[in-house]
Amino acid sequence: MCKRAPNWDNLDPIAGGQLVKRRKTKDYYQQQRMKGLTDSDLLASHILAKVWSVMRRPEDSPYQKAIQTACVAVSIDPSGIYVGSNYLSKSMVTSAAVQGILQAEAPGCYTQNVAIADNSDDKKHAEMQVVEKLWNVYKNAQEIKNARLFIGVSKPCCPRCAKVLDLLGIVYTAKHADEPDNWEPPNIPGLM
């Protein structure tokens, strides 16, 4: 980590991230996804993998469904590292856990405070939890756009999350076309 910052030349903050086709072959999806990953995407994926490795039980089918829906989102700016997660226990995704991962995997790269978003509602996707945290820092849509923020996600954003990120000018690497079963917008007045 610390070497793969967002490539602003290849990401259009207005049009959104690359559309990945998850229904093609597994190899095709993985190749497409790996092309544009940034440090933030890798950190989000790493947090998900570390937390999942602690709680997984491969023999239990509910856990298999959970890993398919679990997601972690990360945004890093000078004031902090903001982390959101859905379908993961609050006791697992903590500031201390994220700090531990950062120190183990990228010592000295990130010195900002870690802020964990409230994940008490599984309908609020990880990206939207991070957007709420960022809103508390920047206070309005124009400030968020001016900050040229990037959000890393452990899997491609759903169309609804992508729409909100596009409205706020937050850059992300990938989205998919499947409508989610559960989704709730961020608690931001007048956004939607």
Side-chain angles (χ1 to χ4, degrees):
M1 285 195 256
C2 283
K3 295 185 178 103
R4 296 178 69 181
N7 183 346
W8 291 98
D9 297 330
N10 294 333
L11 296 172
D12 181 351
I14 304 303
Q18 173 190 18
L19 180 65
V20 294
K21 297 176 180 167
R22 300 187 312 165
R23 300 287 183 239
K24 284 197 173 197
T25 67
K26 184 178 179 181
D27 288 341
Y28 175 82
Y29 166 72
Q30 288 175 340
Q31 288 170 1
Q32 255 195 327
R33 178 79 171 126
M34 293 304 289
K35 283 181 187 176
L37 292 180
T38 65
D39 265 358
S40 298
D41 294 312
L42 292 170
L43 177 58
S45 297
H46 196 77
I47 293 168
L48 177 61
K50 285 283 193 188
V51 169
W52 188 254
S53 69
V54 171
M55 66 181 267
R56 76 180 164 93
R57 294 182 193 155
E59 68 280 1
D60 294 343
S61 61
Y63 282 91
Q64 291 301 310
K65 181 169 175 24
I67 190 59
Q68 293 173 6
T69 56
C71 184
V72 173
V74 176
S75 186
I76 302 170
D77 79 355
S79 67
I81 298 172
Y82 304 94
V83 180
S85 65
N86 59 326
Y87 293 103
L88 296 173
S89 168
K90 282 188 218 181
S91 64
M92 303 294 273
V93 182
T94 64
S95 294
V98 173
Q99 290 283 9
I101 292 168
L102 289 171
Q103 288 308 313
E105 301 297 327
C109 290
Y110 302 104
T111 57
Q112 301 97 318
N113 291 325
V114 174
I116 306 296
D118 174 26
N119 69 349
S120 58
D121 181 1
D122 280 338
K123 289 183 181 179
K124 195 161 288 177
H125 287 192
E127 303 95 304
M128 299 300 95
Q129 295 171 29
V130 171
V131 163
E132 285 182 355
K133 281 288 192 190
L134 293 170
W135 187 265
N136 291 334
V137 172
Y138 291 95
K139 304 296 184 208
N140 66 60
Q142 192 57 51
E143 289 296 318
I144 289 175
K145 287 178 185 176
N146 291 345
R148 295 191 64 184
L149 296 171
F150 180 84
I151 193 167
V153 188
S154 59
K155 38 186 83 166
C157 299
C158 77
R160 293 180 189 177
C161 287
K163 180 179 178 182
V164 170
L165 296 173
D166 290 344
L167 283 170
L168 293 172
I170 298 174
V171 179
Y172 54 97
T173 56
K175 62 186 173 187
H176 62 80
D178 302 331
E179 284 295 326
D181 293 332
N182 291 318
W183 189 83
E184 189 176 295
N187 187 14
I188 296 176
L191 182 65
M192 307 249 350

